């Protein structure tokens, strides 16, 4: 009998998650699993309802969940587990601790994600590298959405690394949002207007794409070291051609594949626990010009 | 009244009931006790706020800020709960904050005469800001086990969230249809100048509607946080979107003066049935959007057509 | 003439104005007015459009605050800041412009703000009973459960009156209550006003119908340009004295000379067998070039519906309309306007005016084509023409760029006329065109109508004022319950024949 | 007119200019050529759509679906561009799609008489669905270098995006204030019944406003995609939020019949100056929200007060 798996997506229109879905489907097909996608359109209440509906329908042997608001889902995830449904967490932490990939609810079969805090430390490590040999290394930090716990955790990881390096100073901040380069364009333009000098910009790939566009417009390509987070096609291309300095790899495809493989294992009785997809990636996913040839983009940006 | 007149008068309710019957007959898992219980539980927060939103809209105003109140009130309640361990106090505190924020909206709209749409959009930013401030930008969880009982206790197998929603809907309906306040709401929304000349204290009526809505949005937020045993700050406007959609699909006029809470309730369930049906029938999310849009247009067109013929 | 009031001399003043002034921007609506309104008297206010009558009433009702001076209530100075206070003091009124809740029922509208409760809840039953008892007491009946928006204007006016009567008022301001009523209902209202005054209620009565004012009032105050000219016992005034006081000019002949239409004058409009279900049936008549045809009848007899059908707003179920020999098929308003038909609709606020826009934009709206080219609207030419139209129709305004909502009621009515005149129509359909306008303005509107017919244009004049119909028409049509009940010409046109036809079934 | 009257009549413009002067005097980096150029460039997409949104709102309607058109039109344009390499064709295709979607809204609102707020909310879902359909859920990039020139070419040091916005604002202003169509828009929004009796084809006027807005939202989306050299599907309503905020902060009445495009433009810059100031002064985002909310309330209260006193 074919197994039924529900996939609760934060948003079906999201390009990162679309890359994960493709891999999940490949694995599922190979294992005779049928996936049904639920689209919460970034509405947490909708996602809760979908989770409840999926449990109530009694159709599903497993649920892969990409949470919008991870903690809020816990009660229903517990009841799914109680109902004997295997749960695999994808991409976003389900639980209060944003520093770990490990499952935070008893009975979750696997949790496949790069913990936000860890992304922050990786970002920090690349920044340290970019600032090597510079006594006064001025950094601009572009948030996704400043103030939300996710971005706070990333920043925390970043700060914990750079605080050990007195030569590095964050001189300005901006907000790029997570939708395309638009936010990064405006943020970078405004920061340039302040007239502050800076050497390094860090932020999510979407924002760094915007930054790259503005820097190109201003004839400043290469004068500022861009460090992305996401491993999108433009990031890898940019690092290769020198217009970006470095980036933290992001692996939506790998994540999707690992999640579905974990689900297959779970349905066969083996829990895999916490998986950081980047741990199986060359150099822990820290990309620079030296190792960029080892990476291929798993999504377009 | 014959059946045609009835179905004209109750257009949106008839549409909702038809959808219910169709789903019950065709969709496995729909008409099960558990699914219906879930549906009721899922709609509770929307219904709590939507009842009083209906009143605000009938009185001729808008309130965008309920999303922000929905976010900030449980954070405040959890602050109290974490500090005192007293759940009752925390609920009062959270609802009290809703009242204060509602009163703030009321002052901006009635005293400074700022259009309510933009006024409550602006106050939304402020209230969201407060949310970040009082939560210190992090997730909050209750320290007591009682907090989660607010929404999750079961009476006769139905969650307390559902009961709270039921009681709120009934109170709002009675207020709107059976009290002088309710009549004044209709008068104010129908013709503000006429209401004023008839001796109705229009600013007071409007202020009251905002305060009640503030309180109910706060209550909805607390119920939601009790259900998910946590709360976190955000700038998420999705709650007011869902609430407004229910009110307006229900046929309450955004021009004011016209509408009913039963309409809002019917529309909320209409939308819930649609989404539930999509989930149970495993409809491709891509087509869900297109079908949902189309069905809403058809339902609203039918309802407004039946209301027109009904004069 | 005049009502005899036994207590007249001894009665105390309920309200006294001492040096009251009120302005709106540059407009001085009231200047140092001193007036007493005594308990139980019927006190009328007369004056031209914009003289300040409504403003005075609205100050008493708390809708406006006075700028300077004092308002005494029973001799004590009182500050009224809002209608709530006035209502609590028993000062109520019906406003010149209908102020109703169109989507609510008659009962809801009448009881607005005054619903009866049992305990915490509104008692629909008690409230309705109270409303019915008021209807009974004053002999004014309406279906209590009708939705007000679906009522005719006259019925809506009754709703307003009933709302004022539903409170135990000590003073009621009637601002142009009869402008929207038919003659039999007017008499009923007068009776009602008298009986109210007898029981001690003070009545402030604002009207442009001077006969009415003279017959019903104890005292009359005359306002001109915001100033009180005099207050006098009604018996001491005559129509002539009032007109002279209001305008500063002698009374002339109200109706201009209407030229007879020659027998062989061309027929321009021919309506045959026109029918719309439940509204009117088998209506056939003609209008000749240069002719003024009066259309009389009771409120609700279907006149407005007929007019709107001819104008192209409604499609007839049966029958034909010919205009200048051509049948109008698939009629539409746009077509009618292009062919030279213009209309003054009966309700200026809901059908006629865009209140928040300027005089210019209102007046030129149907004829913008005239001023438009690929370069857009020629505003200079438009302004010149609009000013001309305003002058022709004697609109009193502070500039054609101002919003029409700040004009007095009568001047708003004249805007409709200015708008119609703008198109130099071949046929003008005027539905209650002089509702609420002062004598001077009426006269100029009548002259305008006469001038139109002089130059060969035709007019269909719908009016509930029989004098107006008699004074202005070459020929009179009477409608009763949706059917044409008489067509009168020449010496056959008189009050008696019209009234007979009106009540014919 | 003396200075007091002037500043009353142009309340929101005076407020915006004051903010400009304050920032220019106090904030380093604000009054620099580069910053002003950027500000103009950043506002271009909002201005393009907001001009025609102002017209739709004056005519008495709402259009929520511009967010979806803003998302779907560039995806469609890029589909064409990717297939043919012809940028001009792709722009026509994208704007054409905007026209078709606007016409669809128009039919639902004018023919089926569905309230425009809910109608365009419903069609938003559909249009978002289309976006997702034609992009196959992935980011799209132009294959030609010309596509990015749509928004990024400079004339006299100013980007073509800014020029396009300028031209759109001027066209919309002329349409609204100097043509018969514009008068009809005001009349329709001011009093629909009176407009009808003046011979105006009300449904046609309303339909035209929706179609023009559809085209302009599509153009804004294409400009945006050219600026960011990519486009992606989403369900993001933030564009219509920004546009509506500009229109309503500007003082155009959501009841219809009243408003002006210069007001919208002033408000858009008011909001842009605020955000730019926040960024230049590196204000904590938490406080940004609270300050922004407060300042909007104050600005709108002042503007509406000045409009009231202006009679
Ligand atoms: N709210 C207002 N704003 C500005 N001007 C006003 C306002 N109300 C009245 N006016 C002006 O005050 C003057 C007096 O108006 P009012 O309505 O009292 O006249 P009226 O005597 O009732 O005339 P009518 O017989 O036409 O009703 C007019 O010039 C009018 O334009
Ligand atoms: N919107 C409406 N809905 C339902 N009935 C209406 C509506 N408007 C008018 N009527 C009814 O249609 C009938 C004809 O009204 P109409 O307005 O044509 O009368 P009229 O002779 O012009 O009288 P009036 O003096 O009021 O203008 C009346 O019985 C009226 O109550
Ligand atoms: Mg008046
Ligand atoms: Mg009539």
């Amino acid at each position: 009998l074919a197994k039924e798996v529900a996939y609760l997506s934060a948003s079906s229109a999201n390009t990162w998650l679309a890359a994960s879905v493709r891999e999940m489907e490949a694995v599922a097909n190979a294992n005779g699993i049928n996936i049904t996608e639920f689209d919460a359109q970034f509405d947490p209440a909708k996602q809760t309802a979908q989770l409840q509906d999926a449990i109530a329908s009694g159709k599903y042997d497993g649920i892969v969940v990409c949470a919008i608001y991870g903690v809020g889902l816990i009660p229903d995830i517990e009841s799914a587990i109680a109902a004997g449904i295997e749960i695999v967490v994808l991409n976003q932490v389900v639980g209060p601790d944003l520093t770990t990939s490990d499952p935070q609810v008893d009975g979750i079969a696997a949790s496949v994600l790069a913990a936000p805090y860890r992304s922050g430390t990786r970002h920090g490590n690349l920044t340290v590298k970019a600032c090597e040999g510079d006594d006064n290394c001025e950094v601009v930090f572009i948030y996704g959405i400043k103030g939300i716990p996710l971005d706070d955790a990333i920043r925390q990881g970043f700060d914990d690394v750079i605080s050990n390096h007195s030569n590095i100073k964050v001189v300005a901040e901006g907000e790029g949002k997570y939708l395309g380069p638009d936010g990064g364009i405006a943020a970078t333009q405004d920061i340039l207007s302040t007239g502050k000098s800076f050497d390094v910009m860090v932020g999510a790939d979407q924002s760094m794409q915007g930054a790259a566009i503005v820097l190109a417009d201003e004839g400043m390509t290469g004068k500022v070291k861009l460090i992305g987070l996401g491993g999108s096609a433009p990031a890898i291309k940019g690092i290769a051609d020198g217009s970006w300095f470095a980036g933290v790899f992001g692996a939506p495809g790998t994540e999707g594949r690992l999640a579905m493989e974990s689900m297959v294992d779970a349905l066969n009785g083996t829990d895999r626990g916490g998986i950081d997809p980047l741990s199986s990636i060359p150099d822990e996913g820290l990309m620079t010009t030296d190792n960029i040839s080892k990476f291929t983009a798993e999504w377009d940006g | 009244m014959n059946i045609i007149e009835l179905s004209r008068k109750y257009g949106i309710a008839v549409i909702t009931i038809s959808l219910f019957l169709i789903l019950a007959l065709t969709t496995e898992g729909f008409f099960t006790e558990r699914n219906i219980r879930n549906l009721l539980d899922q709609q509770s927060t929307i219904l709590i706020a939507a009842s009083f939103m209906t009143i605000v809209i009938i009185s001729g105003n808008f309130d965008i800020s309920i999303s922000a109140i929905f976010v900030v009130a449980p954070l405040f309640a959890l602050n109290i709960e974490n500090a005192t361990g007293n759940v009752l106090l925390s609920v009062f505190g959270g609802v009290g904050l809703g009242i204060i924020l509602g009163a703030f909206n009321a002052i901006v709209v009635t005293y400074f005469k700022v259009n309510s749409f933009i006024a409550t959009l602006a106050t939304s930013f402020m209230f969201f800001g407060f949310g970040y401030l009082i939560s210190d930008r992090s997730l909050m969880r209750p320290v007591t086990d009682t907090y989660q009982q607010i929404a999750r206790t079961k009476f006769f197998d139905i969650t307390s969230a559902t009961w709270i929603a039921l009681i709120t809907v009934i109170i709002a309906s009675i207020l709107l249809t059976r009290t002088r306040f309710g009549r004044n709401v209709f008068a104010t929304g129908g013709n503000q100048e006429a209401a004023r000349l008839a001796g109705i204290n229009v600013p007071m009526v409007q202020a009251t509607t905002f305060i009640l809505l503030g309180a109910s949005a706060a209550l909805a937020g607390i119920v939601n946080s009790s259900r998910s045993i946590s709360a976190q700050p955000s700038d998420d406007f999705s709650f007011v979107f869902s609430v407004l959609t229910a009110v307006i699909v229900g046929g309450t006029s955004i021009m004011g003066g016209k509408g009913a809470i039963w309409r809002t309730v019917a529309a909320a369930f209409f939308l819930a049935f649609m989404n539930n049906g999509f989930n149970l029938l495993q409809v491709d999310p891509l087509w869900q959007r297109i079908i949902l849009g189309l069905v809403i247009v058809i339902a609203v067109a039918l309802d407004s057509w039946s209301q027109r013929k009904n004069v | 003439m005049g009502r005899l009031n036994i207590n007249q001399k001894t009665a105390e003043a309920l309200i006294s104005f001492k040096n009251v002034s009120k302005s709106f921007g540059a407009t001085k609506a009231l200047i140092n007015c001193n007036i007493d309104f005594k308990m139980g008297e019927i006190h009328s206010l007369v004056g031209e459009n914009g003289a300040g009558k409504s403003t005075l009433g609205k100050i008493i009702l708390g809708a406006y605050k006075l700028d300077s001076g004092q308002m005494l209530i029973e001799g004590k100075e009182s500050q009224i800041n809002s209608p709530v206070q006035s209502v609590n003091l028993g000062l109520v009124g019906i406003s010149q412009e209908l102020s109703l809740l169109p989507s609510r029922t008659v009962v809801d509208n009448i009881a607005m703000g005054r619903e009866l409760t049992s305990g915490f809840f509104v008692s629909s039953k008690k409230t309705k009973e109270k409303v019915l008892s008021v209807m009974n007491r004053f002999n004014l009946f309406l279906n209590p459960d009708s939705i007000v928006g679906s009522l005719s204007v006259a019925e809506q006016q009754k709703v307003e009156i009933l709302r004022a009567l539903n409170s135990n008022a000590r003073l009621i301001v009637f601002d142009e209550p009869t402008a929207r009523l038919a003659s039999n209902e007017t008499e009923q209202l007068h009776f009602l006003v008298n009986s109210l005054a007898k029981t001690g209620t003070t009545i402030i009565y604002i009207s442009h119908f001077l006969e009415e004012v003279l017959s019903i009032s104890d005292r009359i105050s005359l306002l001109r340009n915001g100033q009180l000219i005099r207050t006098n016992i009604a018996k001491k005034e005559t129509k002539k004295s009032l007109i002279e006081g209001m305008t500063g000019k002698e009374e002339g002949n109200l109706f201009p000379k209407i030229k007879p239409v020659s027998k062989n004058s061309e027929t321009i409009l021919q309506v045959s067998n026109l029918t719309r279900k439940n509204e009117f049936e088998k209506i056939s008549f003609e209008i000749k070039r240069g002719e003024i045809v009066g259309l009389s009848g009771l409120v609700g007899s279907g006149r407005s519906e007929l007019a709107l059908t001819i104008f192209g707003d409604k499609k007839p179920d049966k029958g034909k309309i010919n205009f200048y020999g051509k049948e109008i098929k698939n009629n539409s308003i746009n077509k009618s306007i292009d062919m030279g038909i213009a209309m003054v609709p009966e309700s200026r606020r809901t059908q006629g005016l865009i209140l928040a826009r300027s005089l210019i934009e209102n007046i030129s709206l149907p004829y913008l084509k005239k001023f438009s080219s690929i370069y857009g609207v020629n505003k200079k030419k438009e302004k010149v023409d609009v000013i001309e139209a305003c002058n022709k129709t004697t609109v009193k305004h502070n500039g054609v760029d101002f919003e029409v909502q700040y004009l007095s009621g009568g001047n708003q009515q004249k805007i409709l006329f200015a708008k119609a005149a703008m198109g130099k129509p071949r046929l003008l359909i005027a539905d209650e065109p002089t509702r609420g306008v002062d004598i001077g303005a009426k006269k100029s509107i009548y002259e305008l109508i006469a001038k139109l017919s002089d130059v060969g244009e035709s007019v269909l004049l719908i009016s509930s004022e029989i004098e107006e119909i008699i004074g202005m028409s070459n020929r009179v049509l009477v409608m009763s319950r949706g059917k044409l009940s008489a067509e009168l010409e020449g010496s056959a046109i008189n009050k008696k024949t019209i009234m007979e036809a009106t009540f014919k079934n």
Side-chain angles (χ1 to χ4, degrees), chain C residues 48 246-247 254 394 414 437-445:
Chain C
E48 292 187 281
M246 276 162 63
T247 61
L254 183 57
T394 67
K414 288 189 218 167
V437 306
D438 66 43
I439 285 240
K442 253 186 190 169
K443 207 166 151 179
S444 52
I445 287 178

Side-chain angles (χ1 to χ4, degrees), chain A residues 98-175:
Chain A
L98 299 180
T99 66
T100 171
S101 303
D102 293 337
Q104 297 177 40
V105 177
D106 281 347
I108 285 184
S111 166
V112 184
L113 52 89
Y117 179 85
R118 290 281 296 125
S119 300
T121 57
R122 287 177 172 127
H123 231 159
N125 286 330
L126 287 172
T127 306
V128 170
K129 197 173 262 178
C131 289
E132 254 164 35
D134 187 345
D135 312 339
N136 181 25
C137 186
E138 290 161 321
V139 179
V140 170
F141 189 95
I142 307 288
Y143 285 93
I145 299 166
K146 186 173 178 184
I148 62 173
L150 174 75
D151 278 67
D152 238 38
I154 294 175
R155 179 64 190 264
Q156 195 59 53
F158 178 81
D159 282 350
D160 286 353
V161 172
I162 64 160
S163 58
N164 301 324
H165 298 265
S166 57
N167 62 326
I168 304 176
K169 236 182 29 228
V170 174
V171 294
E173 294 174 347
E175 207 180 31

Side-chain angles (χ1 to χ4, degrees), chain C residues 24 27 29 49-55 64 96 208 406-410:
Chain C
F24 300 99
T27 312
N49 294 134
K53 306 180 294 292
S54 300
T55 303
Y64 292 157
Q96 188 171 9
H208 290 291
Y406 302 118
L407 293 178
S408 76

Side-chain angles (χ1 to χ4, degrees), chain B residues 295-311:
Chain B
V295 172
I296 291 179
V297 166
I298 294 170
V300 176
L302 277 177
D303 180 51
S304 80
W305 171 80
S306 74
Q307 282 195 70
R308 269 204 306 287
K309 297 280 163 172
N310 189 40
V311 205

Side-chain angles (χ1 to χ4, degrees), chain C residues 262-280:
Chain C
S262 86
K263 277 268 179 301
N264 44 18
S265 176
E266 171 190 13
T267 296
I268 63 140
L269 179 79
Q270 188 171 29
V271 173
S272 36
N273 260 322
L274 212 61
T275 300
R276 262 178 71 86
K277 241 178 124 187
N278 298 330
E279 287 174 358
F280 51 82

Side-chain angles (χ1 to χ4, degrees), chain C residues 14 175 194 223 250 464 502:
Chain C
L14 177 62
D175 198 346
N194 266 313
L223 291 165
E250 289 222 3
S464 298
T502 301

Side-chain angles (χ1 to χ4, degrees), chain B residues 20 42 72-73 97 119 126 147 236 273 285:
Chain B
F20 179 85
Q42 286 161 16
V72 72
L97 180 67
M126 299 172 66
Y147 193 85
D236 181 15
F273 292 160

Side-chain angles (χ1 to χ4, degrees), chain C residues 172-226:
Chain C
I172 304 179
V173 180
F174 286 96
D175 198 346
E176 308 265 8
T178 51
R180 297 184 198 89
L181 294 180
S183 47
N184 61 323
E185 286 168 327
T186 302
E187 278 163 29
Q188 200 183 335
L189 182 79
H190 290 171
F191 180 78
L192 186 155
V193 163
N194 266 313
S195 59
L196 279 170
K198 272 198 202 111
T199 59
T201 311
T202 305
I203 307 288
I204 298 178
Y205 199 89
I206 303 172
S207 175
H208 290 291
F209 297 108
L210 298 180
E211 285 92 351
E212 165 179 306
V213 163
L214 287 166
S215 74
I216 181 178
S217 318
D218 297 314
R219 294 196 299 160
I220 298 172
S221 287
L222 238 154
L223 291 165
R224 194 197 303 161
N225 292 328

